[in-house]
Amino acid sequence: MPDIDSFFAPTGPLGKTVPGYRMRAQQLEMAQAIAGTIAANTILVAEAGTGTGKTFAYLVPALLAGGKVIISTGTKTLQDQLFNRDIPTVRAALKAPVTVALLKGRANYVCHYHLERTLQDGRASFASREEAKYLQLIERYAGVTQSGDKSGLSEVPENAEVWQRVTSTRDNCLGSDCPNYKNCFVMEARKQALAADVVVVNHHLFFADVMLRDEGLSELLPACNTVIFDEAHQLPETASLFFGESVSTSQLLELARDAEAEALLGAKDFAALPPAIAAMEKSARDLRLTIEGENTRMPLAAVMQNGKFGGALNELIGNLDALGAMLETQAERSEGLENCWQRAREIAGDIKRWRDQAEAEGFVRWVEVFSHALQLNATPLSIAEIFNKQLSGSPRAWVFTSATLSVKGDFSHYNSEMGLSTASSAAQSACWESPFDFANQALLYVPAGLPEPNSREYTEEVVKAVLPVLKASRGRAFFLCTSLRAMQRVHELLLVAFEREKLDYPILLQGQGSRSHMLERFRKMGNAVLIGSQSFWEGVDVRGEALSLVVIDKLPFAPPDDPVLSARIEKINKEGRNAFMEYQLPRAVINLKQGAGRLIRDETDHGVLMICDPRLITKAYGKRIWQSLPPMKRTRELSEVEEFFTRSDALAQSE
């Protein structure tokens, strides 16, 4: 085992090459634990508080150990940060001769075949001139880029519609039949990943591959000695997504679009095909229209009470079968038509299975409705057993790390949810507190006199309680809400209140731009109030005085009417266990720790965490929640909050 201590010593390789490096006991201990896990091929669940330096703590032993390492992280942004910044820094410091590859899902790479088809299709079919301009930029980029990764073309927004037309999906990729197979960016990325010592992926890609054997990792995993999951608190959610099955109307609209393009190129003389495509597309759109509203999730039982839904679903299956039969007669004429026929058959099979299966043991069936699409889902009630099978393959080390995995140092919720607590593969767990001085740097404020969170006037009362705190902090705040509806309401109320009180702090609302763009504006303004929901609870790093107050409107319990959650609660309670204490409360604590973690990001930061929910004080479980947060001083007095800001602002000016 390498001598980890010397690498982290003040005069060691990191100290000599990393600007501002300081040795931290927590970081060294964590690195030693990870080195031991890698050497013994065991499992470690490691919680490391903000400021521990967990990225270096796992990178140093991983790069020194030899063998193949897969590092999986929560988002593509973090992937890019690891690949472009953190790994090169550590590799240079250690002088480690390791090769590194970045692997993303196929939708992140330009596809030559679909780009050519879209260019042949003409630019007239685009909704705007801007999309046509983006297409030209992508065409030029595809000719010069080595990787084909769309993140390398910042002039085209990530959510531009044109990307869907010039990238491939698992459904419409032609694989080795593709005329552009030899120049394929996805295949090149996979080839590099197979040859590299360290491969950086994200959780979606990892699980898509484990379940679908689709994204090039299936060959990587057998050869791999170590798997490290960063932001591991996200895994239960991601794994549930992939260990289940889902089929969406957007897949059908994509099929219609591709079949139309392929028919124009390869079956112009078959007049019956375009009307069949149009009929299937219409019935997919009609199915979406049977359910009103958007961004809702409904259990199967509730959906089946809607008379229109069942009829529309059967109509869709009929039209899809008819289209499939026609595509079969034309499949020999081109690889593209063959691919469309196979897709029509597969999607029809998925929909019928979802409709006809009596409630499959251990699964819950439900529907999710988005603004333009509807998705049919079957989700496992527990992922523990399925994931545990991955652990019991060939011997390798598994490291799960995040700032938020435990409840008051207890990992049993996470371990049982991920299947890490069984005898054959029992995980070691360890917790390293943040090195920050929370007792002096932060204050936890729970205002007195607020109504119960389910009361009608709750959001109005919260905004009233927050207003004097925003004055004391002079803006510089994140206002984190547990629902989009509350977020919109808080925004409306603050606009009115700021006008009435003549406060000129800028108000930013999630959705007014990309997350990175909004954070940039927030930092530059220096006195803004950013109102956000899920997007800003985690993975956001604002250091310094620009963020001095984090307000959380409610304890983040998941809505109990969510179909997957309610089925899981029912299962746990049926087994004679307490779903609230074992499942709902630990999940809420982990989410709350994420939100609270936005406040203190550096040893010179100061700030107030304001949690408005009175249940933190009035309920017996409230103590377990606040004891899971960093050790801040607590108050219920507004005057103490005002004093805290006066003191910390004076301190900042004197430095």
Side-chain angles (χ1 to χ4, degrees), residues 512-522:
Q512 289 173 341
S514 70
R515 186 168 80 160
S516 52
H517 172 66
M518 293 195 69
L519 284 171
E520 208 175 304
R521 286 178 67 201
F522 180 83

Side-chain angles (χ1 to χ4, degrees), residues 530-578:
L530 190 154
I531 308 162
S533 184
Q534 205 51 52
S535 293
F536 288 90
W537 280 71
E538 60 177 275
V540 171
D541 191 10
V542 178
R543 293 163 193 236
E545 288 181 58
L547 179 58
S548 300
L549 168 66
V550 170
V551 179
I552 291 175
D553 71 334
K554 277 184 193 177
L555 295 175
F557 287 105
D561 58 352
D562 177 273
V564 179
L565 179 68
S566 58
R568 285 179 175 161
I569 290 170
E570 195 183 332
K571 177 181 182 278
I572 294 169
N573 288 338
K574 262 187 190 161
E575 290 166 0
R577 291 149 56 205
N578 182 332

Side-chain angles (χ1 to χ4, degrees), residues 415-428:
N415 288 347
S416 67
E417 204 175 3
M418 290 299 294
L420 304 179
S421 43
T422 56
S424 63
S425 58
Q428 297 292 310

Side-chain angles (χ1 to χ4, degrees), residues 218-229:
S218 46
E219 296 166 77
L220 282 177
L221 261 180
C224 155
N225 305 83
T226 303
V227 178
I228 297 171
F229 291 110

Side-chain angles (χ1 to χ4, degrees), residues 468-503:
V469 184
L470 285 171
K471 286 179 188 170
S473 69
R474 298 184 310 211
R476 304 185 296 164
F478 271 9
F479 201 135
L480 301 178
C481 301
T482 49
S483 71
L484 290 169
R485 191 185 295 139
M487 179 185 89
Q488 297 291 354
R489 186 74 185 118
V490 164
H491 182 238
E492 290 162 17
L493 291 165
L494 276 187
L495 285 173
V496 172
F498 277 24
E499 198 171 323
R500 187 183 63 239
E501 306 267 337
K502 301 202 168 22
L503 300 174

Side-chain angles (χ1 to χ4, degrees), residues 48 99 110 158 263 312 527:
T99 52
V110 177
E158 200 176 329
N527 66 341

Side-chain angles (χ1 to χ4, degrees), residues 70 103 199 201 205-207 209 215-222:
I70 294 177
L103 187 60
V199 186
V201 301
L205 179 64
F206 186 91
F207 285 106
D209 184 76
E215 297 286 359
L217 280 176
S218 46
E219 296 166 77
L220 282 177
L221 261 180

Side-chain angles (χ1 to χ4, degrees), residues 630-650:
M632 315 176 196
K633 283 180 186 158
R634 302 187 306 280
T635 184
R636 306 206 69 194
E637 300 298 326
L638 176 62
S639 58
E640 286 193 39
V641 173
E642 290 166 337
E643 276 167 36
F644 179 91
F645 279 119
T646 306
R647 227 176 21 251
S648 55
D649 286 350

